[in-house]
């Protein structure tokens, strides 16, 4: 099929590449000319496992092209995906300006029938707004062109986006058009062979499904972080509690890991947008407000443990951080807990030595060169001259470290495990003090 995709971020680039991988003719459009040039050279602007070779191979085969020419892409696409960003506005609502810009471009150039697919995460009612915008632009031209607008939300996890696209858990199609649904069924057939993953519903239900999914996952995380904070105060170990409740199939083991709070481009933005949408409809979303407040407080937890351990005397100390990205297998630092911790440490006069396998360049871009920030080439180099080690991101490379090497490198033998990846007894047997999240030990040490 002939596909046009507007946007070459995580969603657009991964979706376009995977559709090209199964034989479709894909053009990806972006307004950033330098980004398009880099993509044409095979330089991928994001780190996502497995993505780079797929982009290079499909571009070389001619199935995947990149352009800034929106008009040519619209002329090419029988199916036109809108996969641009919807960043939070000042009031927390989703900024739809990029989505509407694409809709206007489609209306100004569309000359043949097409299916317009909303892939971006958007508030309920956006498909109607896109349809209206396209129709208005067609009307200005006096053009009569048949088109459908479909909601097809993405469910890609950063770090697993390629596999999520090739082997999706579900494919949501929101449309009242049998013809449009049939075309998308054909498009997604290569990803739908094992069993039928397609769920068809009305457009507004599909738009809400995306927000509801992310809000549910964020709720599970915040709930477990709240339970972890209670566990610390009663002397329980949240990791044992997690195993106890996860064995209940109604709860399950997924997304019940306590930690330093959730970050990234989706959960914080989408929870706020859903909150705002509810309030605009005169409904107070109490659970969503609590989820967001709990997460904001949890991002302060590592600093609180550090500050308490050093009795408020952090000035002049050096803290080693393992992990900067908001999660493993990505270089994304949007809303990352590491940023909260780093900035609080700086405010209190501490220096930071940090290592992350992928996010160092992004950290440099965010903070520039600073005397109180050193980005190291290995996890053990980050320990040199440090007073403490903090685990912020649970990269696999951090799971089985040389504890004796850590002990000898640190000025103060203490680990703050923000992801509970270590066994406290093993760490303490190696001569290091241990602080985890909800391990029932931190309060006793205070």
């Amino acid at each position: 099929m002939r596909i046009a995709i507007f946007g070459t971020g995580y969603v657009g680039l991964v979706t376009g590449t995977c559709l090209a991988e199964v034989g479709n003719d894909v053009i990806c459009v972006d307004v950033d000319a330098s980004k398009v040039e880099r993509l044409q050279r095979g330089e991928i602007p994001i780190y996502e496992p497995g993505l780079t070779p797929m982009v290079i191979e499909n571009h070389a085969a001619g199935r995947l092209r990149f352009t800034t020419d929106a008009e040519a892409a619209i002329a090419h696409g029988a199916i036109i995906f809108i996969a641009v960003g919807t960043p939070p506005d000042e009031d927390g609502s989703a900024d739809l300006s990029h989505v509407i810009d694409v809709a206007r471009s489609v209306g100004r150039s569309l000359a043949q029938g097409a299916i317009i697919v909303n892939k971006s995460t958007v508030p309920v009612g956006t498909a109607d707004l896109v349809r209206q915008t396209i129709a208005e632009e067609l009307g200005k031209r006096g053009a009569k062109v048949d088109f459908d607008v479909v909601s097809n939300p993405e469910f890609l996890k950063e770090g697993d986006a390629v596999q999520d696209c090739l082997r999706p858990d579900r494919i949501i199609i929101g449309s009242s058009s049998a013809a449009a649904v049939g075309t998308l069924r054909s498009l997604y057939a290569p990803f739908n062979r094992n069993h039928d993953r397609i769920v068809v519903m009305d457009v507004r239900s599909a738009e809400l499904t995306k927000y509801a999914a992310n809000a549910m996952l964020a709720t599970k995380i915040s709930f477990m972080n709240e339970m972890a904070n209670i566990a610390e105060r009663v002397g329980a170990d949240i990791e044992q509690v997690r195993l106890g409740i996860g064995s209940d199939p109604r709860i399950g083991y997924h997304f019940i890991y306590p930690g330093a709070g959730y970050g990234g481009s989706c959960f914080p933005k989408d929870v706020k947008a859903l909150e705002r949408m509810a309030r605009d409809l005169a409904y107070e979303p109490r659970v969503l407000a609590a989820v967001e407040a709990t997460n904001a407080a949890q991002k302060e937890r590592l600093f609180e443990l550090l500050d308490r351990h050093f009795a408020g005397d952090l000035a002049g100390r050096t803290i080693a951080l393992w992990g900067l990205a908001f999660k493993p297998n990505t270089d994304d630092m949007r809303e990352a807990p590491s940023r909260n911790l780093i900035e609080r440490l700086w405010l209190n006069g501490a220096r930071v030595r940090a290592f992350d396998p992928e996010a160092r360049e992004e950290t440099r871009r965010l903070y520039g060169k600073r005397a109180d920030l050193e980005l190291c080439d290995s996890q053990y180099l980050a320990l040199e001259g440090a007073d403490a080690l903090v685990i912020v991101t649970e990269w696999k490379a951090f799971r089985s470290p040389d504890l004796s090497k850590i002990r000898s490198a640190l000025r103060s033998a203490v680990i703050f495990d923000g992801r509970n990846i270590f066994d406290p007894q093993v760490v303490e047997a190696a001569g290091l003090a241990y602080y985890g999240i909800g391990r029932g030990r931190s309060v006793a040490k205070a």
Side-chain angles (χ1 to χ4, degrees), residues 155 170 208-218 267:
F155 296 97
R170 73 286 207 199
L208 183 56
T209 295
K210 168 62 177 178
Y211 278 115
N214 279 354
M216 184 70 234
L217 296 173
F267 288 4

Side-chain angles (χ1 to χ4, degrees), residues 366-394:
L366 289 168
Y367 294 119
K369 291 185 177 181
R370 298 178 55 119
D372 51 8
L373 173 64
E374 186 165 356
L375 299 172
C376 303
D377 292 330
S378 79
Q379 62 198 73
Y380 292 106
L381 280 175
L383 303 175
E384 293 182 2
D387 293 280
L389 168 62
V390 185
I391 311 297
V392 189
T393 313
E394 64 276 30

Side-chain angles (χ1 to χ4, degrees), residues 312-441:
D313 182 22
L314 287 168
R317 296 189 185 276
T318 298
I319 307 300
L321 269 61
W322 282 5
L324 294 164
F326 87 94
K327 64 180 287 189
N329 295 325
T330 182
D331 59 355
D332 196 345
M333 288 186 63
R334 285 174 287 184
E335 302 276 354
S338 63
R339 297 177 65 174
N340 293 65
L341 177 57
I342 289 169
E343 290 163 16
R344 286 295 302 274
L345 288 169
W346 286 340
L347 282 174
N348 286 268
R351 297 179 68 254
V352 173
R353 291 175 62 85
F355 170 75
D356 187 286
E358 296 295 337
R360 282 170 288 164
E361 287 303 318
E362 179 64 5
T363 308
R364 288 191 182 95
R365 187 189 71 80
L366 289 168
Y367 294 119
K369 291 185 177 181
R370 298 178 55 119
D372 51 8
L373 173 64
E374 186 165 356
L375 299 172
C376 303
D377 292 330
S378 79
Q379 62 198 73
Y380 292 106
L381 280 175
L383 303 175
E384 293 182 2
D387 293 280
L389 168 62
V390 185
I391 311 297
V392 189
T393 313
E394 64 276 30
W395 287 91
K396 288 181 180 178
F398 302 158
R399 291 183 180 273
S400 299
D402 185 335
L403 293 173
S404 62
K405 196 171 183 178
I406 295 173
R407 172 70 183 85
S408 61
L410 293 175
R411 291 175 180 169
S412 177
V414 57
I415 290 178
F416 296 85
D417 185 358
R419 299 296 175 182
N420 289 357
I421 62 175
F422 300 146
D423 182 330
Q425 293 182 345
V426 172
V427 173
E428 290 174 349
L432 292 141
Y434 177 88
Y435 293 82
I437 302 295
R439 305 306 297 266
R441 310 165 74 83

Side-chain angles (χ1 to χ4, degrees), residues 32 99 232 240 242 274 342 385 404:
D32 186 339
V99 172
E232 285 189 2
Q240 295 183 43
R242 178 181 65 79
L274 187 54
I342 289 169
S404 62

Side-chain angles (χ1 to χ4, degrees), residues 111 114 163 257 273 304 427:
Q163 289 305 309
Y257 289 89
E304 291 167 359
V427 173

